[in-house]
Amino acid sequence: MSVEKTQQVLELLKQYKQDHIINFMNTLNDEEKELLENQILSIDFNQLTELYDSTKRKCEIKESKIEAIQYFDKQKLGNSKKMQLDDLGERIVSTGKYAVVTMAGGQGSRLEHPGPKGTFRLDVYGKGKYLFEILIDNLKEANKKYGVVIPWYIMTSKENHEETKNFLEKHAYFGYDRNSVILFQQGELPLIDYNGKLLIGKNKLIKLASDGNGGTFTSLRTTGALADMKERGIEWVFIGGVDNVLLKMVDTTLLGLAIEQKVEIASKSIPKANPQEKVGVFCKMNGHPKVIEYTELPEKMAEEVTSDGELKYGESHIMCNLFTIDAVEKISKEPLMYHQAKKKNSYLDETGREIIPQEANAYKFEAFIFDAFPFFDNIAILRGKREEDFAPVKNKEGVDSPKTAKELYEKYWN
Ligand code: UTP
């Protein structure tokens, strides 16, 4: 261990007011200290300071620049239009030009399941089904219908990669073609507590967490997954979450709509249940498509209704998105802004004692997938139906919980 390196680390920690880590270092042996020092030197403290400062700023939206967005309602398309769109979509899927990405790098902190969220077993039909299994069922159904094997890319985090891989291997990929499942890892950022202090994890290193589902694009490129897609001749990429048990990953109507509208991005929405529902909604901001998070949507706008009585900003984003491969590449080279999420995270205190908080205690910085939408002039939005398209497993209990997802899933598949 070099004295200069230790000195450099101490200076950094002092400069950025992380003295608690200096104290913690006194509890470590030489080997542990060296690992921690190396990690500290890899942290971008300037970025971290900027991120912490951003938690103090109030997010303001200038209403005058915002308009409602146009969408197509799947229920109102009519049979012949729907068939025409399906045909356009089918031509892509059945010729092997369609890939699916599942974002499974989240912490799933609200669900409190000890493991990657995809390994959560939803109690359906008595015997239960894992969330990954439910997604695979959906893909297998599409493969059968279109006579292909859709390549499935799963984004994991450093935290859950091994466990995800072992789980899928243990279950023999639930019968999916092993060569068509590609796991890739997303990037990470340090967590900081409400006073801007870094947290120390059980492994005696600074606690890091995945950098949000917006990290998908860059990770696809930097891990080589995007190059793999190109080699396979992929033209359209579906990107969705791991935790919506009614997610339709291969919707040819949505794909057909995107092709017909000559756009590079498309998204399935559902009508917002009520002005207070905790979902992001679509709008046009300065002429570009955008999703405003529920935390950032002013109450007045959330309640605004159109002349036909519908919420003006009522198209909810449900993590059901389509991109051309060129769009994925373009976004992967653009920096996305970070949002802060308050999360419950255990940590070691200065003496090395583990503290398990009862409430959220730290900021996790996350890029959001939908912040990529404003890079485009247009998006095709297809309004689906809540009972057909949206049954998320987010919370341990109450709304969007295993209980509500089970009910919706069983009702849909009865
Ligand atoms: P959420 O934002 O709901 O987060 O993720 P979460 O991790 O599942 O749950 P909480 O908030 O900690 O309780 C929406 C989707 O984005 C993925 C999740 O795995 C989920 O499919 N995601 C989220 C990532 O892949 N990486 C991230 O860094 C964050």
Side-chain angles (χ1 to χ4, degrees):
M1 203 158 52
S2 90
V3 180
E4 294 85 59
K5 186 158 89 183
T6 303
Q7 198 50 39
Q8 196 188 344
V9 168
L10 292 180
E11 274 164 23
L12 256 180
L13 293 174
K14 277 195 190 130
Q15 182 187 348
Y16 289 97
K17 301 193 175 60
Q18 304 291 337
D19 299 71
H20 63 298
I21 297 178
I22 302 179
N23 298 339
F24 174 73
M25 278 177 146
N26 295 328
T27 70
L28 301 179
N29 63 35
D30 283 354
E31 204 182 317
E32 292 168 337
K33 214 182 234 177
E34 173 134 40
L35 285 174
L36 180 57
E37 284 183 355
N38 289 341
Q39 190 199 23
I40 289 169
L41 291 175
S42 73
I43 291 175
D44 181 345
F45 280 92
N46 276 333
Q47 181 194 31
L48 214 59
T49 308
E50 271 170 33
L51 289 173
Y52 180 62
D53 289 347
S54 74
T55 66
K56 308 282 167 222
R57 284 195 289 271
K58 207 170 169 276
C59 174
E60 276 185 11
I61 290 175
K62 300 224 173 9
E63 276 185 57
S64 57
K65 295 179 182 169
I66 300 180
E67 304 155 80
I69 201 155
Q70 191 206 4
Y71 63 87
F72 296 84
D73 190 334
K74 196 171 180 179
Q75 316 307 313
K76 295 182 185 161
L77 285 177
N79 263 349
S80 73
K81 182 74 186 171
K82 190 175 170 302
M83 275 167 65
Q84 183 205 334
L85 297 180
D86 281 339
D87 185 50
L88 283 173
E90 266 183 57
R91 278 190 233 166
I92 293 291
V93 180
S94 62
T95 49
K97 295 173 184 159
Y98 189 85
V100 165
V101 175
T102 294
M103 303 178 295
Q107 286 190 307
S109 55
R110 286 169 287 173
L111 185 61
E112 295 181 17
H113 165 61
K117 220 184 208 183
T119 69
F120 178 78
R121 195 170 181 152
L122 190 68
D123 167 33
V124 283
Y125 303 130
K127 70 181 190 32
K129 269 189 175 195
Y130 298 103
L131 297 189
F132 275 134
E133 190 180 0
I134 290 174
L135 294 176
I136 289 173
D137 281 354
N138 184 236
L139 287 177
K140 279 187 186 163
E141 192 195 346
N143 287 347
K144 202 166 151 203
K145 190 166 173 191
Y146 304 112
V148 284
V149 180
I150 295 172
W152 185 32
Y153 297 80
I154 305 173
M155 183 169 79
T156 60
S157 62
K158 289 209 173 60
E159 224 174 340
N160 74 17
H161 183 83
E162 280 308 306
E163 235 183 302
T164 303
K165 193 167 143 235
N166 294 341
F167 174 85
L168 289 169
E169 257 157 31
K170 182 172 150 212
H171 291 277
Y173 294 81
F174 296 97
Y176 211 79
D177 171 31
R178 171 71 194 88
N179 296 322
S180 303
V181 184
I182 302 99
L183 269 66
F184 67 101
Q185 286 184 45
Q186 71 173 112
E188 292 191 304
L189 281 172
L191 291 159
I192 48 176
D193 76 8
Y194 293 168
N195 298 313
K197 308 288 178 212
L198 291 160
L199 298 182
I200 299 153
K202 256 183 165 171
N203 59 1
K204 303 184 178 178
L205 293 170
I206 306 294
K207 227 174 165 173
L208 306 171
S210 44
D211 57 1
N213 54 49
T216 309
F217 306 99
T218 312
S219 315
L220 275 171
R221 184 166 52 78
T222 55
T223 59
L226 185 65
D228 182 81
M229 284 178 183
K230 285 185 185 168
E231 243 166 67
R232 291 175 193 248
I234 300 302
E235 290 181 7
W236 283 91
V237 185
F238 176 89
I239 306 184
V242 71
D243 51 11
N244 171 7
V245 298
L246 288 181
L247 181 68
K248 307 290 178 294
M249 296 184 286
V250 193
D251 184 333
T252 48
T253 322
L254 178 66
L255 177 55
L257 183 69
I259 296 166
E260 190 217 36
Q261 296 288 308
K262 297 188 171 49
V263 291
E264 288 185 83
I265 57 171
S267 191
K268 172 90 68 73
S269 67
I270 56 160
K272 194 174 174 184
N274 56 63
Q276 284 75 38
E277 197 190 2
K278 291 182 172 175
V279 287
V281 288
F282 283 96
C283 68
K284 271 215 154 178
M285 189 181 274
N286 304 326
H288 294 274
K290 182 170 169 75
V291 170
I292 310 185
E293 256 299 61
Y294 66 92
T295 45
E296 294 166 4
L297 184 71
E299 204 178 310
K300 202 168 138 244
M301 282 177 64
E303 287 173 355
E304 224 172 308
V305 282
T306 60
S307 53
D308 48 9
E310 288 213 339
L311 289 174
K312 186 170 174 188
Y313 301 100
E315 290 315 300
S316 313
H317 175 256
I318 55 165
M319 295 276 177
C320 180
N321 298 315
L322 260 182
F323 302 84
T324 63
I325 189 121
D326 290 344
V328 172
E329 179 146 34
K330 171 177 158 167
I331 303 163
S332 76
K333 294 174 180 163
E334 303 270 356
L336 295 180
M337 69 173 284
Y338 288 106
H339 301 250
Q340 75 256 6
K342 291 178 179 167
K343 304 256 174 171
K344 196 159 58 173
N345 270 282
S346 60
Y347 62 96
L348 302 185
D349 71 8
E350 294 179 26
T351 65
R353 194 169 49 115
E354 189 181 19
I355 309 289
I356 302 175
Q358 297 306 310
E359 301 287 330
N361 62 322
Y363 292 115
K364 178 178 190 264
F365 296 99
E366 300 188 315
F368 290 160
I369 188 161
F370 52 64
D371 281 332
F373 297 160
F375 298 143
F376 301 85
D377 291 335
N378 277 311
I379 184 171
I381 297 179
L382 185 66
R383 177 190 269 195
K385 261 177 140 175
R386 188 171 289 264
E387 55 275 33
E388 287 177 10
D389 294 298
F390 195 53
V393 180
K394 294 284 179 196
N395 304 307
K396 201 173 171 199
E397 279 156 8
V399 287
D400 299 341
S401 63
K403 187 167 177 280
T404 57
K406 167 194 159 74
E407 281 164 14
L408 288 161
Y409 183 86
E410 288 181 344
K411 200 166 168 199
Y412 180 79
W413 288 108
N414 71 1

